[in-house]
């Protein structure tokens, strides 16, 4: 469980959602125990102390589904290359001031911990040296450490991101080289490897400026948008949570697993 934000923390939540998905057709509208997934995500966000929760979408079907369930939503352009671009437009449409804090909760995270949302907002609020915040948790299994789909992050002394990578970092030279060559994968103990959690806090002024920044070579190599922030010399604060959040939905198997969890909770 994540530590919640201070009672005075003020933040907004934006949920980017687009209908197209390469692995799961019409994913935001997938039914989870009687409600579209995008509505289930908004329900989790509403359990946090967010000042507002708005879905930013490029599709009228998603807009209608949200409004039918009483979820605030707005329509953005359909040609945005990334969720960050969509959120930047949403901030402008909503008239949010540059010093406001916005948390980006992905539209395929119907089990997102509300306390984690608050903690990511609080992390950025207390760190004026950072333009963004995010989260991570300790990796417990070697297979996860080796998996390129599990993004890793290394922190500096102040708890800010040094680098994000799909590769296993930090590489424990003396303890891992021989083990890996023999097919035995061990995890470094100090520092413990951290898996990045895909939730972000932004200062609105930076979020509006982000789409205009030149993409970083490392970002294009690793296909990790957050590396653009570091490449331009900006800082990202990282909240380390005690455990992984609930599973997101990328595939049909993920969707069935989440449906089972909701059914047990009903």
């Amino acid at each position: 469980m994540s530590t919640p934000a201070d009672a005075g923390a003020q933040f907004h939540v934006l949920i980017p959602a687009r209908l197209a998905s390469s692995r799961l057709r019409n994913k935001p509208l997938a039914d989870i125990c009687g409600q579209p997934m995008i509505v289930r995500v908004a329900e989790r966000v509403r359990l946090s102390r967010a000042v507002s929760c708005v879905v930013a979408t490029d599709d009228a079907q998603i807009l209608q589904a949200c409004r039918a369930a009483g979820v605030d939503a707005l329509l953005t352009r359909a040609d945005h290359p990334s969720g960050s671009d969509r959120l930047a437009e949403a901030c402008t449409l909503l008239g949010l001031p540059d010093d406001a804090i916005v948390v980006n909760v992905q539209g395929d995270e119907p089990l997102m911990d509300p306390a984690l949302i608050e903690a990511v907002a609080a992390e950025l609020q207390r760190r004026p040296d950072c333009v963004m915040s995010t989260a991570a948790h300790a990796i417990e299994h070697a297979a996860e450490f080796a998996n390129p789909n599990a993004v890793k992050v290394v922190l500096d002394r102040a708890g800010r991101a040094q680098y994000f990578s799909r590769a296993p970092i930090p590489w424990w030279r003396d303890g891992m080289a021989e083990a890996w060559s023999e097919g035995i994968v061990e995890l470094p103990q100090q520092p413990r490897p951290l898996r990045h959690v895909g939730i972000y806090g932004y200062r609105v002024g930076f979020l509006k400026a982000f789409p205009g920044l030149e993409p970083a070579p490392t970002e294009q190599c690793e296909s990790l948008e957050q590396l653009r922030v570091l490449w331009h010399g900006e800082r990202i604060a990282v909240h380390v949570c005690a455990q992984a959040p609930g599973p997101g939905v990328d595939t049909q198997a993920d969707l069935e697993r989440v449906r089972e969890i909701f059914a047990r909770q009903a």
Side-chain angles (χ1 to χ4, degrees):
M1 184 67 69
S2 299
T3 302
D6 297 334
Q10 297 286 312
F11 65 97
H12 306 265
V13 173
L14 292 176
I15 307 172
R18 63 188 186 94
L19 199 61
S21 174
S22 59
R23 287 189 284 182
L24 187 59
R25 186 172 179 270
N26 295 345
K27 183 164 66 170
L29 299 178
D31 180 83
I32 299 178
C33 294
Q35 289 285 9
M37 178 161 58
I38 191 66
V39 172
R40 292 301 189 191
V41 175
E43 289 173 348
R44 296 295 291 178
V45 171
R46 285 172 167 177
L47 296 176
S48 75
R49 289 195 286 257
V51 173
S52 66
C53 170
V54 180
V55 172
T57 182
D58 63 351
D59 189 90
Q61 295 179 69
I62 297 175
L63 186 75
Q64 293 167 4
C66 289
R67 290 179 174 174
V71 173
D72 290 337
L74 54 79
L75 201 60
T76 62
R77 298 196 335 250
D79 59 348
H80 287 305
S82 72
S84 298
D85 295 82
R86 192 175 314 286
L87 296 187
E89 182 190 358
C91 286
T92 299
L93 293 173
L94 292 168
L96 295 178
D98 285 353
D99 61 351
I101 290 177
V102 163
V103 177
N104 171 8
V105 175
Q106 298 300 321
D108 56 5
E109 297 280 354
L111 294 172
M112 176 57 67
D113 182 1
L116 179 56
I117 299 171
E118 294 178 356
V120 168
E123 190 71 29
L124 184 56
Q125 185 183 52
R126 73 181 185 86
R127 298 296 299 265
D129 58 323
C130 297
V131 297
M132 283 177 60
S133 59
T134 189
H137 64 85
I139 293 176
E140 301 294 340
H141 304 290
E144 184 179 19
F145 188 53
N147 183 356
N149 293 318
V151 176
K152 276 71 68 175
V153 60
V154 172
L155 309 185
D156 69 10
R157 183 179 181 181
R160 301 171 303 214
Q162 279 187 297
Y163 191 66
F164 297 86
S165 183
R166 298 182 182 279
I169 56 172
W171 182 261
W172 186 25
R173 187 197 67 175
D174 295 333
M176 289 170 58
E178 183 177 350
W180 277 58
S181 66
E182 296 175 357
I184 304 170
V185 184
E186 298 183 19
L187 293 178
Q189 298 303 308
Q190 292 295 334
R192 291 296 303 275
L194 297 173
R195 179 170 182 170
H196 177 232
V197 178
I199 181 173
Y200 298 98
Y202 298 89
R203 300 191 193 282
V204 167
F206 176 76
L207 179 55
K208 290 178 180 177
F210 179 80
L213 296 178
E214 179 187 357
T218 48
E219 168 193 357
Q220 295 171 323
C221 176
E222 298 246 23
S223 191
L224 296 174
E225 194 178 65
Q226 63 268 37
L227 289 174
R228 187 186 314 182
V229 181
L230 302 183
W231 192 67
H232 282 274
E234 300 289 358
R235 293 169 170 172
I236 302 175
V238 181
H239 168 74
V240 179
C241 46
Q243 61 188 29
V249 177
D250 288 319
T251 65
Q252 185 65 37
D254 294 337
L255 178 59
E256 296 303 331
R257 180 165 61 250
V258 168
R259 282 170 171 165
E260 291 175 2
I261 293 172
F262 269 84
R264 289 198 299 268
Q265 294 174 347

